[in-house]
Amino acid sequence: MTDIKLYGPFCEIVTMDGLSLHGPLQDHELPVIRNAGIVVQDGKVLDIGGYHQLFKKYAAAERVLTETKHQVVVPAFIDCHTHICWAGNRANDYAMRVSGKSYLEIAKAGGGIMDTVLATRSATQEELVTLILKRTESLLAQGVAIVEVKSGYGLDLDNELKMLRAIKETNNHTSAKLIPTFLGAHIRPKDFEGTHKKYLAYLVNEVAPRVLEEGLAKRADIFVEEGAFDIELSEWYIKEMQKLGFEMTVHADQFSSGGASLAVETGCISADHLESIDEHSITKFRNSKTVAIALPGASLGLGMAFTPCRQLLDNDACVAIATDWNPGSAPMGHLLAQASIIGANEKMSIAETLAAITYRSAYALRVNAGTIRIGDNARFTVYEGDDFRNIFYSQGQLHPTHTIIGDECIQH
């Protein structure tokens, strides 16, 4: 049994096993194992239970993390919406925004997404890999083991492929798992000669097939909003991309409503943002497989209201939380701080907030993760202390000591 590792002892292990994907959660529902350990073999969870029983049962196992008496464990976090593949800097946008300019006014003045597009087009694939890796390692140090990463700052065939290739290459250099999303439909670039419809047709007919051919992404996204793509065009694009075999997600209801309803009606796997969602659209998430993803980093970055998570949960939505880490509207990139802040503002229980960055976020990506169960791939994060609630109580100031991914124990 020398290839078996016994982690612990831990004061608490919060497994998140057996909880509902949809609707409200109370803290007393959380499955917490006390005075416990986790046994890992070949990168998978072999056993969980009382530490002393595991100690006897796996007498020859390697003992790991035995030096600290007070430790708690939660599933490693999942950031299910990021834009961490970019080059350049948008500090000027930030200065304009805090001086009173709106997101759309900044874009019309030459800032916004196109500013990042020009910088990203100028970067080499190798430079993008370096930048993605730096941001990924920052998330990993926060206990984030799975990160969704979008393209969308290339907006033509060569540069969208360059971004997605860089994301794929970065997976070879990090212990975290990166999940790519093709966001060619971020905006219509200013240098494209043709209508919004012709640009989306170009993506469907010329870019998306190459993405599939090279195996660069099976997920795709579209920004449904003024200044990007309207409801009618977005519906056409979603259905055409689904015909090609893409799982679709939508940037929806950030500044105006309509996109969230479209996402649910067309069977998208998630609708992300939702700061401006209306009451009717909220009710559509009841019994829906479409995940409502809140992006509090954008609310903080733009000075906007938060996504109405409480209302969504009370309407039995599956609610996830992600950073939206990007160079313009959400430059913070700190998942736990953002989740804690929106949780406090939206009166989410600790159970709901933890679910939103673990197994419910995993469901938004359609990956099997976010729990600690026998047979799961080992992905869990360790904090000092004897009460897991302190992770959220400290609002991002309590940092993990270790993250276990497979057979690797990463010390932070």
Side-chain angles (χ1 to χ4, degrees), residues 35-323:
N35 303 314
I38 302 173
V39 181
V40 174
Q41 183 179 35
D42 298 328
K44 293 186 178 295
V45 176
L46 178 64
D47 209 344
I48 312 169
Y51 185 80
H52 294 297
Q53 289 79 9
L54 294 177
F55 189 92
K56 294 177 182 178
K57 184 176 180 181
Y58 301 95
E62 177 185 354
R63 310 291 193 246
V64 187
L65 301 182
T66 60
E67 62 278 5
T68 303
K69 290 185 178 180
H70 299 288
Q71 304 175 100
V72 295
V73 175
V74 294
F77 304 137
I78 298 162
D79 194 345
C80 61
H81 181 127
T82 84
H83 300 257
I84 62 172
C85 180
W86 89 79
N89 181 284
R90 299 255 291 279
N92 186 60
D93 284 21
Y94 179 79
M96 293 176 67
R97 187 160 60 248
V98 296
S99 296
K101 299 294 182 183
S102 72
Y103 184 89
L104 295 177
E105 286 174 329
I106 292 168
K108 290 176 181 178
I113 293 170
M114 276 307 297
D115 190 15
T116 301
V117 169
L118 295 175
T120 305
R121 286 178 176 178
S122 298
T124 66
Q125 181 174 318
E126 291 72 22
E127 289 170 335
L128 290 178
V129 169
T130 299
L131 292 167
I132 300 167
L133 184 59
K134 179 180 179 181
R135 294 163 190 146
T136 299
E137 293 303 299
S138 174
L139 288 168
L140 185 57
Q142 302 171 32
V144 179
I146 299 177
V147 185
E148 186 264 9
V149 188
K150 301 180 189 295
S151 66
Y153 295 126
L155 306 185
D156 62 25
L157 175 62
D158 290 341
N159 286 291
E160 284 294 305
L161 293 178
K162 178 181 69 177
M163 291 185 72
L164 291 168
R165 289 167 184 155
I167 297 165
K168 183 176 182 179
E169 173 62 24
T170 307
N171 258 319
N172 298 324
H173 302 287
T174 179
S175 299
K177 178 181 178 63
L178 305 186
I179 297 179
T181 299
F182 170 51
L183 181 55
H186 204 173
I187 60 171
R188 180 183 66 83
K190 293 179 180 179
D191 58 359
F192 181 82
E193 296 182 0
T195 63
H196 284 70
K197 177 63 177 291
K198 287 184 177 179
Y199 176 67
L200 292 181
Y202 162 71
L203 295 178
V204 169
N205 295 323
E206 298 187 40
V207 185
R210 287 288 302 277
V211 172
L212 293 173
E213 180 184 327
E214 293 191 30
L216 296 174
K218 66 176 183 179
R219 294 166 41 89
D221 194 348
I222 183 169
F223 189 11
V224 184
E225 193 57 74
E226 179 187 351
F229 302 99
D230 65 26
I231 297 291
E232 183 179 357
L233 283 178
S234 298
E235 181 177 5
W236 176 85
Y237 181 75
I238 289 167
K239 291 179 177 179
E240 290 299 309
M241 293 293 280
Q242 288 171 332
K243 289 176 186 176
L244 290 176
F246 283 94
E247 295 177 330
M248 290 302 299
T249 182
V250 173
H251 279 62
D253 294 12
Q254 184 175 14
F255 304 110
S256 59
S257 62
S261 291
L262 174 65
V264 174
E265 291 165 1
T266 54
C268 292
I269 60 176
S270 72
D272 308 20
H273 274 294
L274 311 181
E275 296 92 339
S276 298
I277 190 170
D278 59 28
E279 298 280 347
H280 176 68
S281 297
I282 287 173
T283 64
K284 290 202 170 186
F285 282 89
R286 188 183 297 273
N287 300 320
S288 169
K289 294 181 179 180
T290 303
V291 178
I293 300 180
L295 304 175
S299 297
L300 294 167
L302 296 174
M304 294 178 61
F306 289 111
T307 302
C309 296
R310 182 73 270 148
Q311 285 182 270
L312 285 158
L313 287 165
D314 289 343
N315 276 273
D316 287 324
C318 177
V319 174
I321 297 171
T323 64

